[in-house]
Amino acid sequence: MYPLKVENLSFAWGSKITIDDVTFSIETGTVTSILGPNGSGKTTLLKLMLGFLSPVSGRVMLGEHDLATLDLAMRAKKMAYVPQRHTAVFSYRVLDIVVLGRIPYSNVFCRITDNDYQIASECLTQLGIGHLAERSYTEISGGEQQLVLIARALVQQAEILIMDEPVSGLDYGNQLMLLKQLRRLAQNGITCVKTTHYPEHALWTSDRAIFVRAGKIIATGNSADIINSSTLKDLYNADIRILESEAGSQKMRTCVPVFD
Amino acid sequence: MTAKKYRLTLTLLVITLAVTAYISLHIGTISIPWFAVLVSFDAGELDISAETAETYKTVVSQIRLPRVLTALLCGAALAISGAAYQSMFMNPLVSPALLGVLAGAAFGASLGMLISNNILVAQLLAFGFGVVSVGTAVLLARFFPGNRLIMLIMGGVISSSLFTALLSVIKFIADTQNELPAIVYWLMGGFSAVSSSAAAMVLPFVAVGIVLIIAMSGYLNVLSMGDEEAASLGVNVKRSRMVLIIITTLISSLTVALGGMIGWVGLMIPHIARMICGADNRQLLPISALIGAIYLLIVDNICRTAFAGEIPIGIMTSLMGIPFFILVLSRTESRWN
């Protein structure tokens, strides 16, 4: 079962083709990392998958439905977007931001009910940040802000979460905390797709990886299978070795650069 | 703000507005006994002659009531428009004045005064050019890359200057005996010339506009998250923003058609309201509207009673607004980061 399929997708800014005939499928309950150098088309691909951009050709399938013909609210019930944490202009209460995830279920006046607030509180608790509910979004830390945006996506009760570089700008501890949360979400059956600049993170959290270079997919498959010295050399043009070491009860792989 | 605290604040503001409005009906050149309205101008109760009671009644119902309603609805309209613009453009620095709406509407209305004696023409042109000027500001901001917040301000400055220049053309063409003084005095802002028939014609639109914006306040919360996030939450961004722009521009343009250019209210009041109730538009909009109504009503009372002659309200809102806004800025700065 593939909740999300990308079929022969192409996109161009003017005459410059930035996504070139891309095809892949995302499986239920997996974490997929989209890796690629700057300007490779990762973000464009993400925006196409979210329907923010319309493809020149090809299509995105959400289950049985073509994304292009799906009504916006229906789309939002199936797929949620976790943006890079933004510099908020207004200081909303955390709970009021999270409850916006109920908008796709609300009426024409965006009416939010007590039940919606209940769901929002539960999602905050589920992510271990229930204590932040009454705080102001602008006053909490970067890692907490990212979790709040994930909580909002969970409130949407969508089966797919699409995240744009969820760890960007977070300190190391918060990065690890976030990766752990992603693993938990996937274990609970939520399908996560994220772009990332860290092949290590793909090894630690994600089942699948997609390598994008110059708008084309150059490799796709299990992270552990496709992330190695030679593919990383291909992708980033850098010499990187993969080491494996014991960490607690598990074996973890790390990327080590070669500076010779 | 919790629901309970919000209801309490709302109640207090409604009471303050009612009391202010009641007082406003009784003060002025002809000072009227405090209980006159309460006892329905009963000559016996007030211990005055029937003739005087009749005069009081006429003053209150024909002159003061339309003026009080105009002042409070214009204050509410400007404040709620400012709050709505700030949220929909994700920019705490915009207001009807800064986006060029007031300048555009002023140009439209003066053009109307020049070509026709019908107030309806002035109002339609005020609204039309109000929309054109916001459109100009937003398009200019889109056209240039860079910081969205700053570019929108730049767009507003350009659009404002454009229509101010066009307004000068109108003033230049206008006949210096009658039309020019009329346009100049009206532009300084004031409700003294508002006839009860004009108020009766325009105010219902303003009131309905205010209600509609409050009904749509949930959309403003979503729109203030940014276009892509709003779309990912299932909202049709272009359509909802367009509807909101049309309503906000309509009501802020109508205030220009009624009372001239009244600056600062649309920028200052939403910030004060945000300090009281936070950013949630579902609470912010009603509270902004009420504070705006109370504020403009009080300022209008000062304008018509403080000195022998009447002071244009646009001058008063600027003189009172600027120091107050500096104070507000120094206290809210941290909330913007």
Side-chain angles (χ1 to χ4, degrees):
Chain A
M1 175 58 191
Y2 300 110
L4 184 65
K5 279 192 285 190
V6 168
E7 299 175 356
N8 306 101
L9 206 64
S10 295
F11 182 79
W13 290 112
S15 61
K16 192 176 179 293
I17 294 168
T18 50
I19 295 293
D20 190 2
D21 196 20
V22 165
T23 298
F24 59 84
S25 303
I26 306 282
E27 286 157 62
T28 305
T30 55
V31 178
T32 302
S33 297
I34 301 176
L35 288 153
N38 290 331
S40 58
K42 290 189 306 291
T43 306
T44 310
L45 185 57
L46 211 69
K47 290 188 173 181
L48 285 164
M49 288 160 69
L50 285 157
F52 298 161
L53 295 173
S54 302
V56 172
S57 62
R59 59 180 186 171
V60 177
M61 294 294 289
L62 266 185
E64 302 295 305
H65 308 277
D66 184 341
L67 184 72
T69 59
L70 205 60
D71 151 81
L72 277 172
M74 274 301 287
R75 224 187 251 188
K77 289 175 190 172
K78 290 177 175 295
M79 178 169 66
Y81 169 50
V82 182
Q84 282 188 35
R85 73 201 164 82
H86 42 67
T87 41
V89 184
F90 302 110
S91 54
Y92 286 103
R93 188 170 63 135
V94 163
L95 194 60
D96 285 328
I97 288 193
V98 175
V99 85
L100 289 180
R102 298 302 296 172
I103 291 290
Y105 301 89
S106 70
N107 67 8
V108 69
F109 292 114
C110 294
R111 192 182 144 66
I112 305 246
T113 63
D114 288 347
N115 182 45
D116 293 331
Y117 273 104
Q118 186 67 34
I119 295 172
S121 300
E122 280 162 15
C123 287
L124 280 172
T125 313
Q126 191 188 332
L127 289 172
I129 49 169
H131 57 282
L132 297 178
E134 296 297 324
R135 296 274 298 281
S136 165
Y137 180 80
T138 45
E139 288 164 5
I140 60 178
S141 77
E144 289 169 336
Q145 287 181 339
Q146 193 67 60
L147 282 178
V148 166
L149 295 178
I150 292 176
R152 187 180 70 193
L154 292 181
V155 167
Q156 264 173 266
Q157 299 177 332
E159 46 190 324
I160 308 162
L161 296 195
I162 300 207
M163 309 187 192
D164 189 12
E165 295 179 28
V167 299
S168 94
L170 299 188
D171 67 48
Y172 199 58
N174 273 321
Q175 292 187 8
L176 298 180
M177 176 274 300
L178 204 85
L179 294 175
K180 269 179 160 172
Q181 289 284 5
L182 286 190
R183 279 171 74 144
R184 270 189 49 206
L185 291 177
Q187 279 160 13
N188 291 331
I190 291 172
T191 308
C192 304
V193 181
K194 63 176 166 114
T195 55
T196 180
H197 281 301
Y198 304 97
E200 270 183 351
H201 293 180
L203 285 166
W204 296 343
T205 61
S206 77
D207 314 292
R208 306 278 184 271
I210 295 172
F211 285 9
V212 182
R213 201 185 56 194
K216 287 191 163 79
I217 291 190
I218 58 167
T220 167
N222 288 326
S223 307
D225 297 340
I226 67 163
I227 298 178
N228 57 50
S229 296
S230 96
T231 53
L232 289 180
K233 173 84 184 166
D234 260 1
L235 195 62
Y236 295 115
N237 193 26
D239 292 317
I240 297 160
R241 283 174 62 191
I242 311 274
L243 300 182
E244 193 172 83
S245 38
E246 303 267 336
S249 61
Q250 306 177 28
K251 285 204 163 118
M252 297 293 275
R253 295 186 187 194
T254 47
C255 296
V256 180
V258 180
F259 276 168
D260 290 344
Chain B
M1 187 150 68
T2 60
K4 204 175 152 191
K5 237 170 108 183
Y6 170 64
R7 275 197 295 272
L8 183 70
T9 312
L10 217 54
T11 315
L12 283 176
L13 287 172
V14 170
I15 293 170
T16 312
L17 179 59
V19 171
T20 315
Y22 184 86
I23 294 172
S24 309
L25 290 176
H26 294 79
I27 57 172
T29 337
I30 299 177
S31 152
I32 292 173
W34 290 117
F35 299 104
V37 172
L38 271 183
V39 298
S40 314
F41 305 99
D42 185 297
E45 291 268 358
L46 293 168
D47 201 16
I48 50 174
S49 72
E51 245 168 71
T52 320
E54 201 51 41
T55 312
Y56 285 171
K57 194 175 173 182
T58 312
V59 166
V60 168
S61 62
Q62 297 300 310
I63 300 170
R64 290 202 188 144
L65 185 64
R67 180 164 185 162
V68 164
L69 286 177
T70 307
L72 70 85
L73 276 168
C74 284
L78 286 166
I80 206 169
S81 304
Y85 281 132
Q86 288 171 7
S87 291
M88 76 175 97
F89 293 121
M90 288 163 284
N91 192 330
L93 301 174
V94 299
S95 68
L98 273 165
L99 282 171
V101 182
L102 297 193
F107 166 72
S110 348
L111 186 65
M113 289 163 87
L114 203 64
I115 61 174
S116 159
N117 283 325
N118 190 341
I119 184 175
L120 199 67
V121 175
Q123 279 155 8
L124 280 175
L125 286 174
F127 170 57
F129 281 99
V131 172
V132 170
S133 64
V134 184
T136 310
V138 174
L139 283 179
L140 283 171
R142 291 266 164 86
F143 194 67
F144 297 108
N147 184 322
R148 279 191 65 140
L149 264 71
I150 302 204
M151 290 321 292
L152 188 59
I153 304 284
M154 291 307 292
V157 168
I158 294 171
S159 152
S160 239
S161 309
L162 172 69
F163 284 103
T164 310
L166 291 176
L167 183 61
S168 301
V169 174
I170 299 275
K171 286 185 194 165
F172 187 71
I173 298 171
D175 137 46
T176 49
Q177 281 301 311
N178 302 308
E179 287 165 356
L180 183 61
I183 291 174
V184 168
Y185 280 119
W186 164 78
L187 278 177
M188 286 179 190
F191 300 117
S192 57
V194 176
S195 66
S196 53
S197 63
M201 195 159 76
V202 177
L203 292 181
F205 287 99
V206 178
V208 169
I210 291 171
V211 171
L212 282 178
I213 296 175
I214 291 177
M216 288 187 74
S217 55
Y219 281 96
L220 287 168
N221 281 358
V222 186
L223 289 176
S224 70
M225 295 286 131
D227 292 10
E228 290 183 347
E229 278 178 60
S232 80
L233 292 166
V235 166
N236 186 329
V237 175
K238 276 195 184 135
R239 197 174 58 196
S240 49
R241 181 178 289 144
M242 187 56 77
V243 172
L244 277 160
I245 287 180
I246 289 175
I247 306 172
T248 36
T249 308
L250 171 70
I251 62 172
S252 39
S253 302
L254 288 181
T255 68
V256 177
L258 280 171
M261 287 173 84
I262 304 167
W264 290 95
V265 180
L267 183 62
M268 187 178 85
I269 304 295
H271 282 279
I272 297 171
R274 224 173 261 119
M275 285 166 73
I276 296 173
C277 70
D280 184 352
N281 287 285
R282 289 165 301 167
Q283 298 183 348
L284 177 68
L285 264 53
I287 288 184
S288 293
L290 284 168
I291 298 180
I294 295 166
Y295 175 72
L296 207 60
L297 192 52
I298 292 176
V299 175
D300 186 47
N301 285 341
I302 296 174
C303 285
R304 66 190 173 90
T305 58
F307 302 94
E310 177 150 348
I311 316 160
I313 197 165
I315 296 174
M316 274 309 271
T317 55
S318 300
L319 287 178
M320 290 175 67
I322 293 167
F324 199 73
F325 192 68
I326 291 170
L327 185 78
V328 172
L329 270 184
S330 63
R331 302 188 74 192
T332 56
E333 188 200 18
S334 61
R335 291 189 168 213
W336 291 355
N337 302 323

